[in-house]
Amino acid sequence: GAVVSQHPSRVICKSGTSVKIECRSLDFQATTMFWYRQFPKQSLMLMATSNEGSKATYEQGVEKDKFLINHASLTLSTLTVTSAHPEDSSFYICSARDNGNTGELFFGEGSRLTVL
Amino acid sequence: SQQGEEDPQALSIQEGENATMNCSYKTSINNLQWYRQNSGRGLVHLILIRSNEREKHSGRLRVTLDTSKKSSSLLITASRAADTASYFCATDTGGGNKLTFGTGTQLKVEL
């Protein structure tokens, strides 16, 4: 079945540094990918819609300069958390929509960010 | 605010029993989907029900949708310990799989 890979799965960084998380669709092309954030024991909150070759669409309240999204190819979207602070610590999950006829959505395994 | 509210927030049952989780939402939808998430992992798609469907089955899963009440339920029959996970409903309001997730139900199935 279709696979979406996220890397890294876990990352620990110091306050003030930037962290990049990759989301790759391994066996399908995805013009559209979505980035979610999840706090412990809570639901997923959509952060932004990543569109290949164009700017991401951010949800209300999400700082686009804080969470940089680049969707440079049909199989890769990246989320960069800039100048990370402890409150940015969270579980970040991406999903990718298969460009094929089903348009099915597949989720990555998530990336746990801890900012010290 | 959350599009979907789920209840119960937590459910603990014995293996072999049935588990029912409910989801309510606020706006019109194209489809409603149920996902499973093991602790610290990604989401696994379980089942999708379209707005013009009322019931759908997949293995031990049964999903109902009542658009007049803006609610859905997920029934897992003959539960197993391996079913222990969090279950989320998610609504697609505009097509294109831009999903809004519910608050989730944490299911624990004990031996």
Side-chain angles (χ1 to χ4, degrees), chain B residues 10-29:
Chain B
L11 179 61
S12 183
I13 60 174
Q14 297 293 312
E15 201 171 47
E17 294 180 338
N18 295 342
T20 300
M21 289 160 266
N22 302 296
C23 168
S24 61
Y25 57 92
K26 294 175 182 158
T27 63
S28 297
I29 61 172

Side-chain angles (χ1 to χ4, degrees), chain A residues 34 36 38 43-46 59 91 93 97 103 105 107-109, chain B residues 2 35 37 40-43 88 96-99 101-103 106:
Chain A
F34 302 95
Y36 291 85
Q38 185 180 32
S43 187
L44 282 75
M45 299 296 294
L46 179 65
E59 296 299 301
F91 194 55
I93 304 177
R97 189 168 74 211
L105 196 66
F107 281 80
E109 283 291 298
Chain B
Q2 286 287 331
Y35 287 84
Q37 183 183 35
R41 304 293 298 274
L43 273 71
F88 294 93
N97 265 325
K98 181 179 173 181
L99 300 177
F101 282 83
T103 50
Q106 292 185 45

Side-chain angles (χ1 to χ4, degrees), chain A residues 79-99:
Chain A
L79 169 68
T80 301
V81 182
T82 62
S83 187
H85 290 281
E87 57 265 30
D88 298 325
S89 298
S90 191
F91 194 55
Y92 293 88
I93 304 177
C94 73
S95 65
R97 189 168 74 211
D98 190 344
N99 281 4

Side-chain angles (χ1 to χ4, degrees), chain A:
Chain A
V3 176
V4 173
S5 171
Q6 269 187 253
H7 178 80
S9 58
R10 292 178 181 271
V11 56
I12 300 172
C13 71
K14 294 181 179 179
S15 285
T17 60
S18 294
V19 174
K20 180 186 286 187
I21 301 170
E22 294 185 346
C23 179
R24 292 182 185 273
S25 56
L26 296 185
D27 52 1
F28 65 94
Q29 292 186 329
T31 300
T32 302
M33 296 186 180
F34 302 95
W35 285 96
Y36 291 85
R37 181 174 182 175
Q38 185 180 32
F39 291 104
K41 298 190 184 300
Q42 293 191 26
S43 187
L44 282 75
M45 299 296 294
L46 179 65
M47 298 174 66
T49 302
S50 173
N51 303 298
E52 187 268 338
S54 64
K55 291 182 179 180
T57 304
Y58 289 82
E59 296 299 301
Q60 192 172 10
V62 178
E63 299 176 61
K64 61 180 181 181
D65 295 329
K66 174 74 173 177
F67 299 100
L68 299 179
I69 291 172
N70 184 26
H71 195 151
S73 78
L74 287 173
T75 59
L76 174 64
S77 175
T78 61
L79 169 68
T80 301
V81 182
T82 62
S83 187
H85 290 281
E87 57 265 30
D88 298 325
S89 298
S90 191
F91 194 55
Y92 293 88
I93 304 177
C94 73
S95 65
R97 189 168 74 211
D98 190 344
N99 281 4
N101 56 4
T102 64
E104 195 171 347
L105 196 66
F106 299 94
F107 281 80
E109 283 291 298
S111 299
R112 183 163 301 284
L113 170 63
T114 302
V115 184
L116 302 176

Side-chain angles (χ1 to χ4, degrees), chain B residues 5-72:
Chain B
E5 299 289 332
E6 292 180 61
D7 76 273
Q9 287 188 333
L11 179 61
S12 183
I13 60 174
Q14 297 293 312
E15 201 171 47
E17 294 180 338
N18 295 342
T20 300
M21 289 160 266
N22 302 296
C23 168
S24 61
Y25 57 92
K26 294 175 182 158
T27 63
S28 297
I29 61 172
N30 282 349
N31 64 70
L32 185 144
Q33 305 176 32
W34 284 90
Y35 287 84
R36 169 198 168 120
Q37 183 183 35
N38 284 16
S39 180
R41 304 293 298 274
L43 273 71
V44 175
H45 181 262
L46 296 177
I47 198 166
L48 180 153
I49 186 165
R50 301 187 190 285
S51 59
N52 61 352
E53 297 175 311
R54 291 297 166 257
E55 188 171 312
K56 206 162 182 180
H57 297 255
S58 177
R60 293 184 296 112
L61 305 180
R62 173 179 168 246
V63 169
T64 63
L65 178 65
D66 187 335
T67 52
S68 67
K69 295 181 180 178
K70 291 187 168 59
S71 67
S72 173

